[in-house]
Amino acid sequence: NNMKAIIIAAGTGTRLYPITKDIPKSLLDVGQGLTLLETQLHSLKECNILDIIIIIGYRGAQIEAKLEEYRQDFNITTVYNPFFDVSNNLVSVWMARHHMTDEFITINGDDIFDASVIKELLKSPHPITMVTDTKSNYDDDDMKIISIDGLVRRVSKKIPLEDANGESVGIIKFSGNGPEIYTDMLEKMIRDPENLNVFYLRAIQEIIDAGHPVHFSRCDPGDWGEIDFHPDLELIRKQVSQTNLVERILKK
C-alpha cells in the first residue's frame, strides 16, 4: 500500500484559546488518554496507511515529541511551515507539495474519524474525491458543499445555508492525475499574494472551475467530528464520548 496521508496541523487554534495557548490542537486530549493526533494515527493504521507526512508550525516541537512514540509503527515525515502565524493553510499545503506524488490523502489536523471513513474513501476510483456528509441543517462555520449529479460543484463556508446539500469533512484523496492537477493549482495560486490568506479548499474550487471533476465519498455524521470552537475540553470529551468515537477507534 503506497497510499500516504498528509495531515495539516500547522495552525494556532486560536478559536480554542486558552486551551491551545500551550498546546497545539493536534495534542488536545479527546478522552481515553488519547490526543486527537493519536486517534488519527490509530484509524490510519487500521487502513494500513503507514506513510504519514505531517505539516507542523505552531508548537511543532510538541507534535514531533509525541510522534516519537509512533515512529516504529509509521514512516513519519514532518514538514515545517515557518509562516504558520501569518498565513492560512493553503501555504501549509503548498509547502508539502513535494510529497504529493503517486496517491495520497490530505486530512485536516482537527478531524477525528473512524477508520470506516477512510476505507470507504479508498474505494473511490476517481482522481479527486472529497469525504462529505449530509445533515438536516448547516451553520455558518460548516465548510458547506453543493453537489449535483454526483460531483462537487461548490465548496465554501459562504454558501447560503439553504443551498448547501452537504459538508466537507476535511479529508480528500488524490490519485491518478489528481496529484498533478492539485500541485499545478497550488503552484499557480501561491504566486498571487491574495492567496496567502486563503483556506486550501479554495484550490479545490479553482480545480472545479477549471473543469476537472471532483467526486465525493459519503460518510455518516456520527463517524467523524472536528474540534473548532469549544469553551473547554469537557465539551469536546462529551461530544466524543456521546458518539463513542474514541472507544470505537481503540477497539479495533
Side-chain angles (χ1 to χ4, degrees):
N1 183 350
N2 65 349
M3 179 63 75
K4 293 183 285 203
I6 301 177
I7 300 173
I8 309 161
T12 49
T14 47
R15 295 183 297 182
L16 277 166
Y17 270 17
I19 305 168
T20 46
K21 266 215 180 316
D22 299 316
I23 56 165
K25 243 193 212 191
S26 286
L27 298 185
L28 289 175
D29 182 332
V30 292
Q32 309 273 316
L34 276 194
T35 61
L36 184 55
L37 174 61
E38 288 172 287
T39 67
Q40 294 180 327
L41 294 174
H42 277 278
S43 288
L44 290 168
K45 189 174 186 186
E46 201 200 319
C47 300
N48 204 29
I49 297 175
L50 304 176
D51 283 321
I52 310 289
I53 292 100
I54 179 157
I55 309 166
I56 58 173
Y58 179 68
R59 306 244 176 242
Q62 291 183 30
I63 293 177
E64 288 178 311
K66 174 55 82 177
L67 288 169
E68 283 306 311
E69 302 167 30
Y70 288 86
R71 286 195 184 274
Q72 64 274 23
D73 296 326
F74 295 90
N75 170 30
I76 296 171
T77 310
T78 55
V79 172
Y80 183 75
N81 174 7
F83 312 111
F84 67 87
D85 59 346
V86 291
S87 64
N88 206 328
N89 61 18
L90 180 83
V91 175
S92 288
V93 173
W94 173 80
M95 294 198 78
R97 66 201 180 281
H98 304 302
H99 295 284
M100 296 179 179
T101 50
D102 307 325
E103 47 181 10
F104 61 93
I105 295 170
T106 62
I107 299 172
N108 287 356
D110 57 4
D111 268 358
I112 180 169
F113 51 89
D114 192 78
S116 60
V117 174
I118 303 290
K119 286 179 176 165
E120 190 59 34
L121 174 62
L122 290 173
K123 293 178 189 168
S124 169
H126 305 292
I128 303 177
T129 309
M130 301 175 63
V131 179
T132 62
D133 75 1
T134 52
K135 304 191 293 194
S136 50
N137 56 305
Y138 301 91
D139 64 52
D140 288 334
D141 195 58
D142 288 337
M143 183 57 75
K144 295 169 282 295
I145 68 155
I146 297 175
S147 65
I148 302 166
D149 299 334
L151 292 175
V152 178
R153 305 307 311 197
R154 283 192 62 201
V155 53
S156 170
K157 288 189 177 182
K158 297 189 171 80
I159 289 171
L161 303 184
E162 62 278 7
D163 294 350
N165 62 357
E167 158 186 41
S168 167
V169 162
I171 302 176
I172 311 174
K173 179 171 80 73
F174 299 86
S175 53
N177 65 342
E180 189 186 351
I181 291 168
Y182 193 43
T183 51
D184 285 353
M185 184 58 77
L186 292 171
E187 286 283 13
K188 185 176 154 215
M189 288 178 72
I190 207 72
R191 292 168 181 245
D192 179 347
E194 305 236 319
N195 287 333
L196 296 181
N197 293 310
V198 303
F199 204 66
Y200 75 95
L201 281 169
R202 175 77 65 80
I204 301 296
Q205 185 64 59
E206 299 260 343
I207 285 167
I208 293 167
D209 294 345
H212 299 287
V214 171
H215 290 78
F216 58 88
S217 170
R218 281 253 165 85
C219 79
D220 181 17
D223 287 339
W224 78 286
E226 68 180 335
I227 296 172
D228 275 329
F229 300 100
H230 284 284
D232 61 9
L233 274 177
E234 292 316 308
L235 267 179
I236 294 166
R237 293 186 183 135
K238 189 169 145 200
Q239 179 196 355
V240 167
S241 65
Q242 277 170 347
T243 59
N244 294 324
L245 201 46
V246 174
E247 285 85 344
R248 276 167 26 211
I249 287 167
L250 283 177
K251 246 202 325 264
K252 289 164 177 167

